Amino acid sequence: MMRAILMPLAALALITAGATPTSSRAQAAAQAPASVAIRHAMEASAAGWNAGDLARFVAIYADDALFVTPKGVLRGKSVISARYAPSFSAGGNSRGRLGFTFLEMRGIDPTHAVLIARWTLTGATSSETGMTTLVFERRDGAWKIITDHSS
């Protein structure tokens, strides 16, 4: 499961993007360093999880994303969405509140980056935590997860 968010990435000033945005907010995001854009995308994904908005949660995934689980590899955003769907409702997510601590980010090239983070799910009576390694690719002006390995 993709579980990670909230990072201080002052040390990383990667790539600037060159997309043609349709609004000033989109323009700012397109021109932000990769670290900032990825952080914002991760924060939006976690906010979707916490609000019970599955579409917003999975918006960060590429359509052809791979998700490595203990039971095997899931292929495609629609399959990843189906895996998570049972825990989503209008009131939030039954598995708890999602948060991330960003630990390391590395640029691979101008269109790829790797993020290593700790995810935490906090429920009413318990919490769980683990690690995630996410490979991002810049597609159509946005950073998308192409590979998610979470444990």
Side-chain angles (χ1 to χ4, degrees):
M1 160 175 176
M2 193 284 306
R3 314 170 206 182
I5 286 197
L6 301 175
M7 83 197 235
L9 284 179
L12 183 63
L14 276 171
I15 314 135
T16 21
T20 306
T22 57
S23 71
S24 60
R25 183 173 173 93
Q27 182 176 7
Q31 294 176 348
S35 61
V36 173
I38 289 170
R39 177 183 174 178
H40 288 168
M42 292 290 292
E43 289 169 347
S45 180
W49 174 281
N50 295 333
D53 184 343
L54 178 61
R56 186 173 176 197
F57 170 67
V58 298
I60 196 168
Y61 285 93
D63 289 339
D64 60 346
L66 299 176
F67 177 45
V68 181
T69 74
K71 295 180 181 178
V73 178
L74 302 178
R75 291 172 176 80
K77 182 182 197 173
S78 62
V79 175
I80 295 167
S81 294
R83 180 184 190 275
Y84 285 111
S87 66
F88 279 80
S89 69
N93 193 296
S94 63
R95 296 190 59 202
R97 192 160 179 78
L98 178 62
F100 296 99
T101 303
F102 294 90
L103 303 174
E104 185 82 25
M105 181 179 277
R106 294 193 177 186
I108 298 170
D109 61 32
T111 58
H112 294 90
V114 173
L115 171 64
I116 299 171
R118 174 167 293 284
W119 57 265
T120 302
L121 282 174
T122 306
T125 59
S126 66
S127 67
E128 60 180 296
T129 188
M131 300 295 293
T132 188
T133 302
L134 304 169
V135 179
F136 285 84
E137 183 174 79
R138 185 152 179 82
R139 293 183 178 181
D140 299 322
W143 287 94
K144 298 290 185 178
I145 296 170
I146 60 171
T147 304
D148 176 346
H149 187 185
S150 299
S151 58

